């Protein structure tokens, strides 16, 4: 199922930020982000192979990193939502079972 890893990746980015913000514990938010990223990677790998899974995981991590400077321009939630949309859409396109 190609929707599941996309949903997990989206939940990891949004959930990781929400947990970090609500608990004021960045490490806990990072743990959510890492757990979801690991789950998404394993599903992407099963669907598409290691290469595409690695590329999508790099996008996931890069989106997390890009959300920080983007938040300075457009506020935190819009930045998180924007990078999440990019990851989810890319995952839906590139992360499909072959």
């Amino acid at each position: 199922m190609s929707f599941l890893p996309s949903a997990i990746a989206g939940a990891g980015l949004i959930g990781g930020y929400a947990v970090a913000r609500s608990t004021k514990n960045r490490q806990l938010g990072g743990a959510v982000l890492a757990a979801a990223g690991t789950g998404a990677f394993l599903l992407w790998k099963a669907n598409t192979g290691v290469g595409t899974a690695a590329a999508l995981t790099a996008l996931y991590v890069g989106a997390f990193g890009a959300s920080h400077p983007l938040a300075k321009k457009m506020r935190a939630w819009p930045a998180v939502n924007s990078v999440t949309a990019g990851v989810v859409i890319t995952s839906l396109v590139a992360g499909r079972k072959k």
Side-chain angles (χ1 to χ4, degrees):
M1 175 180 283
S2 61
F3 177 74
L4 186 56
S6 303
I8 291 171
L13 288 164
I14 290 174
Y17 175 68
V19 167
R21 183 175 175 138
S22 66
T23 65
K24 302 199 184 327
N25 184 332
R26 294 178 81 177
Q27 290 80 12
L28 188 57
V32 170
L33 182 81
T38 300
F41 171 80
L42 293 172
L43 291 169
W44 285 323
K45 181 180 159 195
N47 287 348
T48 65
V50 174
T52 301
L56 287 168
T57 302
L59 174 67
Y60 177 79
V61 173
F64 165 71
S67 69
H68 290 81
L70 192 57
K72 293 179 181 176
K73 304 228 180 250
M74 62 185 330
R75 296 188 338 262
W77 274 115
V80 171
N81 290 333
S82 295
V83 300
T84 299
V87 169
V88 169
I89 291 167
T90 304
S91 173
L92 287 170
V93 172
R96 284 187 262 179
K97 246 184 195 178
K98 299 206 176 190

